[in-house]
Amino acid sequence: MVKKNAEKDVGFVRQFNELKKKHPDAVLLFRKGDFYEMYKEDALKASVILALKVSDKILPLEKDPIKLLTFPRHELDKHLPKLIRSGQRVAICEAIDRPELMKKPREKTGEDLKETNISNKNTMAKKKKEQAVQEEPTQTVKTAAEEKTAKEKKTGTKAEVKSEQQDEQKAEAKQERKPREPQMVTANGEKVSHGHSFQSTTNPADWYFTAKMDGVQLKPQKMDAADLAAYQKKEMTVPQLMEKYYPTKLMPKVSEEAFQMPKQLSGPDGAITIDKFNVYKEKDEQRPDYGKYKFYVQMGDTKMSAVASREDLNAYFDRVTTPAQLVEKNFGERLHLQSAYEKYQLPEGVDPKGVRVAKDHSDNKWKVSMDLGDKGKTSKHELSFDDGYSLFKAKTATREQIAAKYLNTEITGMLSAVTNKLEKSASMKM
């Protein structure tokens, strides 16, 4: 068995060598049973693109072990697009079980020819006798059972022919069927297809949107009622739904190098080195955030964690945001980064001179409040240690930014109340 398999392998490699001479610029992909194989330089080239391991195989007629790359037949749809997108020309070959190691037939001698002639004469005489016996007139009476059997055989033959014709028609139709055109192509060259909405079987009131990306099914996302109505009326397209429900799938991916540690951030006292960053699920049942996914970051002896939003998790796993950016966003205030406070702005028209940051002598804590003049004053809000440090020590946050962080909701409510009061008074006068 081992010798037989070795002979087959030699035959397959011989086919590879012959085809490689005819198509030197193509990557040859051989199908053998339930697997696909690539040899020699093609195996090395494909291993880099597909991130698969190359093995060495020793064959009888080869001086050195040949390089071999193999993967299961059902993974072809995953690996073939990667090879094509990398610019490779791929040829799929059917490996023929023909090792070509069979012995050549020897030349016939005079004695062999003589024996062959005698044998042929005997065979011809025997055939003539059999033919004479068959030509003798015989009378046969067919029974009803024999006639029925003959009809059944005739009917069975017709059914077999019809079945074969149907199979051929199906095979031709399958060959003529063109692959589904993608509904959109992402910035990374991934093809989106099969985008559609469907109704939940457990709760008929809920509808979900899903699609396939390079043949891989995406996790269904629950749709808003307005989006569902617009989609059913053809007022909203699949690309628009993809942008809303799978935004990170459409964004350009960052380089793998950006995910390699360590990385540095610009801090208030110099560079901050990020030694480790990952995602984990909280398993401590005593914690209020038990069961939630969290970001973990380590910078020297400092270790921090924070609950990760769904948006940030998708951005991390889809590789469209770097760990450094996620650290800046989720831990920036605790690291006293100036960029972390730039998002806080007071509402338009509010005079920043009304901001008050002072120590409350009743409890000896620093608090922030806002005097809006004739519109009133806000309540006092206690500052966290990190915000106080950023304001007074690191100088990376301004009084206006601190006020906006703690008081914007209250300020907006007070301004809306005054506006509504004025509008009501004006309507009464009219």
Side-chain angles (χ1 to χ4, degrees):
M1 180 62 73
V2 174
K3 184 178 179 182
K4 188 176 180 181
N5 290 337
E7 290 177 354
K8 288 182 180 179
D9 289 336
V10 170
F12 296 144
V13 174
R14 187 173 298 167
Q15 292 174 45
F16 169 81
N17 292 335
E18 291 173 358
L19 290 172
K20 199 64 180 174
K21 290 178 182 178
K22 297 179 181 179
H23 309 282
D25 60 332
V27 174
L28 303 182
L29 190 58
F30 280 81
R31 177 179 167 185
K32 288 178 62 178
D34 293 331
F35 292 87
Y36 282 95
E37 292 185 354
M38 282 176 275
Y39 309 108
K40 298 184 177 180
E41 64 269 25
D42 286 357
L44 295 172
K45 189 184 297 182
S47 68
V48 178
I49 300 169
L50 304 178
L52 296 178
K53 187 177 180 181
V54 176
S55 58
D56 292 329
K57 192 164 188 176
I58 301 175
L59 295 179
L61 302 182
E62 296 286 336
K63 294 181 181 179
D64 301 319
I66 69 164
K67 300 296 181 181
L68 173 67
L69 185 146
T70 181
F71 59 82
R73 175 182 170 185
H74 64 269
E75 293 184 2
L76 179 65
D77 292 339
K78 181 174 73 173
H79 296 314
L80 184 58
K82 292 182 181 179
L83 291 170
I84 295 173
R85 283 201 302 271
S86 67
Q88 301 299 323
R89 179 170 166 260
V90 182
I92 300 178
C93 314
E94 188 74 27
I96 302 174
D97 188 1
R98 182 172 53 86
E100 298 182 1
L101 296 176
M102 298 176 65
K103 296 181 179 179
K104 295 182 179 179
R106 66 184 181 85
E107 296 180 0
K108 291 185 178 181
T109 61
E111 294 180 0
D112 292 335
L113 293 172
K114 187 177 180 181
E115 290 176 1
T116 302
N117 290 334
I118 294 171
S119 176
N120 288 341
K121 287 179 181 179
N122 292 337
T123 303
M124 290 297 292
K126 188 176 179 181
K127 283 184 177 180
K128 284 181 179 179
K129 287 181 181 179
E130 290 176 354
Q131 188 175 1
V133 172
Q134 288 177 1
E135 289 176 354
E136 290 179 1
T138 57
Q139 294 181 355
T140 59
V141 180
K142 291 186 179 181
T143 63
E146 289 174 344
E147 289 180 357
K148 186 177 180 182
T149 305
K151 287 181 180 179
E152 288 177 353
K153 287 182 179 178
K154 191 174 181 181
T155 306
T157 304
K158 288 182 178 179
E160 288 176 1
V161 171
K162 190 174 182 180
S163 176
E164 288 177 0
Q165 290 176 348
Q166 290 177 349
D167 291 341
E168 289 177 1
Q169 290 175 355
K170 288 180 180 179
E172 290 175 1
K174 191 174 182 180
Q175 289 178 355
E176 292 175 358
R177 189 181 300 162
K178 295 181 180 179
R180 183 190 290 262
E181 288 293 328
Q183 293 165 306
M184 69 175 299
V185 179
T186 69
N188 305 299
E190 296 166 313
K191 296 179 181 179
V192 177
S193 61
H194 300 81
H196 67 284
S197 62
F198 66 93
Q199 192 173 20
S200 171
T201 54
T202 55
N203 187 4
D206 293 338
W207 283 74
Y208 292 83
F209 174 75
T210 186
K212 285 186 178 182
M213 185 171 286
D214 280 350
V216 179
Q217 188 72 51
L218 300 179
K219 184 179 179 180
Q221 301 295 318
K222 188 176 178 180
M223 297 181 70
D224 295 336
D227 293 339
L228 175 63
Y231 178 66
Q232 291 175 338
K233 293 178 183 178
K234 296 185 178 180
E235 296 173 355
M236 202 168 189
T237 63
V238 168
Q240 289 172 329
L241 290 172
M242 285 293 298
E243 190 172 349
K244 179 168 183 179
Y245 293 103
Y246 301 99
T248 55
K249 299 287 184 186
L250 309 182
M251 298 178 185
K253 297 183 184 294
V254 299
S255 64
E256 289 296 327
E257 184 182 354
F259 282 80
Q260 296 175 0
M261 296 295 151
K263 284 288 180 289
Q264 288 191 336
L265 285 176
S266 178
D269 301 321
I272 300 175
T273 302
I274 304 171
D275 299 309
K276 189 175 182 181
F277 182 85
N278 59 27
V279 178
Y280 73 98
K281 191 174 184 178
E282 183 57 63
K283 296 181 179 180
D284 188 353
E285 297 182 3
Q286 304 301 320
R287 294 182 61 91
D289 52 9
Y290 166 71
K292 294 183 179 180
Y293 286 94
K294 303 171 73 175
F295 288 130
Y296 169 84
V297 63
Q298 182 175 336
M299 296 160 288
D301 296 331
T302 305
K303 300 175 183 178
M304 298 180 181
S305 65
V307 175
S309 67
R310 180 179 174 182
E311 178 187 355
D312 287 343
L313 282 173
N314 288 337
Y316 176 75
F317 288 119
D318 289 332
R319 293 295 196 260
V320 298
T321 302
T322 66
Q325 291 171 327
L326 291 171
V327 169
E328 188 174 0
K329 180 179 178 180
N330 291 273
F331 303 95
E333 294 178 17
R334 294 160 69 179
L335 296 173
H336 317 297
L337 302 180
Q338 185 175 354
S339 58
Y341 290 95
E342 291 175 351
K343 59 186 176 184
Y344 299 118
Q345 299 291 330
L346 287 170
E348 188 176 353
V350 174
D351 188 357
K353 294 179 180 179
V355 176
R356 300 285 185 269
V357 179
K359 184 179 285 189
D360 192 335
H361 296 291
S362 61
D363 55 10
N364 209 31
K365 293 179 179 179
W366 286 94
K367 297 181 180 180
V368 60
S369 62
M370 186 82 181
D371 186 354
L372 297 174
D374 57 353
K375 298 179 180 65
K377 294 181 180 179
T378 66
S379 57
K380 297 178 180 180
H381 292 258
E382 181 184 344
L383 300 185
S384 69
F385 172 81
D386 290 320
D387 290 334
Y389 188 94
S390 298
L391 177 63
F392 298 116
K393 184 72 175 176
K395 308 285 187 189
T396 53
T398 65
R399 294 159 58 88
E400 292 80 7
Q401 290 170 339
I402 295 294
K405 177 181 177 180
Y406 287 91
L407 305 174
N408 261 7
T409 302
E410 189 175 352
I411 292 172
T412 304
M414 293 173 66
L415 294 175
S416 299
V418 172
T419 303
N420 293 336
K421 187 176 180 180
L422 292 173
E423 289 177 353
K424 187 176 180 180
S425 176
S427 63
M428 289 178 67
K429 289 180 180 180
M430 291 175 65

